[in-house]
């Protein structure tokens, strides 16, 4: 009796493919937060939980906010998993920034600005820190503030 080797070979190939399938990992995915999709940094008029989305960013270079929303943000949501973001006030002297760590939602009115008011309505530039960034602000998973020496602007 002669065996047909083709079905045996096909069954072996199918069996190997099925056994290898669980070894491949699906890409990591992140969920949106407060209506802000990954991998964006979203700015809101009002609170992030009840306000209106007025703009979003995902590029990792210094960007001036569009004129229509400049100095308007009241809150921010950073959905990025490993990048922190600086919200910058270039009207201060020297320029001031507030750093928002990875995966964080912040109402800017809860943070005192160096000018004596709050950070709400004082943001005109954004910088998302891409690779190599660990998503922390000055080594901590907390909102931090600082000043940028004059002459830093690209």
């Amino acid at each position: 009796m002669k065996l047909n080797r083709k079905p045996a070979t096909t069954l072996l190939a199918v069996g190997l493919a099925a056994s290898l399938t669980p070894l491949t990992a699906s890409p990591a995915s992140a969920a949106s937060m407060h209506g802000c999709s990954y991998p964006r940094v979203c700015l809101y008029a009002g609170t992030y939980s009840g306000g209106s989305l007025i703009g979003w960013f995902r590029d990792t270079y210094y960007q001036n906010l569009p004129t229509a929303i400049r100095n308007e943000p009241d809150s921010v949501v950073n959905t990025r998993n490993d990048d922190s973001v600086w919200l910058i006030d270039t009207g201060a002297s020297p320029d001031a920034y507030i750093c928002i760590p990875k995966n964080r939602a912040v109402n800017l009115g809860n943070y005192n600005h160096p000018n004596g008011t709050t950070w709400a309505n004082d943001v005109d530039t954004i910088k998302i820190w891409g690779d190599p960034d660990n998503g922390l602000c000055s080594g901590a998973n907390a909102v931090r503030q600082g000043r940028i020496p004059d002459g830093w602007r690209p």
Side-chain angles (χ1 to χ4, degrees):
M1 178 159 118
K2 188 173 182 181
L3 293 174
N4 185 348
R5 294 195 181 269
K6 192 170 189 174
T9 304
T10 302
L11 288 174
L12 177 62
V14 170
L16 284 174
S19 68
L20 292 178
T21 302
L23 298 178
T24 60
S26 61
S29 62
S32 66
M33 184 180 2
H34 302 289
C36 185
S37 300
Y38 171 83
R40 295 178 179 171
V41 175
C42 298
L43 302 176
Y44 296 82
T47 65
Y48 59 79
S49 60
S52 301
L53 177 67
I54 58 174
W56 59 266
F57 300 83
R58 59 187 233 182
D59 295 325
T60 57
Y61 54 86
Y62 288 95
Q63 301 170 76
N64 292 323
L65 299 187
T67 304
I69 65 168
R70 194 166 293 151
N71 295 315
E72 293 296 319
D74 295 312
S75 55
V76 59
V77 172
N78 180 5
T79 66
R80 298 175 73 96
N81 292 329
D82 57 3
D83 299 327
S84 60
V85 61
W86 279 10
L87 301 178
I88 304 167
D89 178 10
T90 62
S93 183
D95 295 346
Y97 71 87
I98 185 168
C99 180
I100 312 301
K102 62 184 176 182
N103 298 314
R104 183 71 58 93
V106 171
N107 286 316
L108 297 172
N110 294 342
Y111 293 88
N112 293 328
H113 188 287
N115 68 10
T117 63
T118 69
W119 272 94
N121 307 115
D122 277 326
V123 174
D124 56 40
T125 304
I126 186 170
K127 168 63 171 133
I128 299 170
W129 293 97
D131 291 333
D133 186 43
N134 59 9
L136 304 178
C137 296
S138 300
N141 192 17
V143 175
R144 302 278 191 193
Q145 297 185 53
R147 294 287 192 153
I148 307 167
D150 291 334
W152 70 269
R153 295 180 198 175

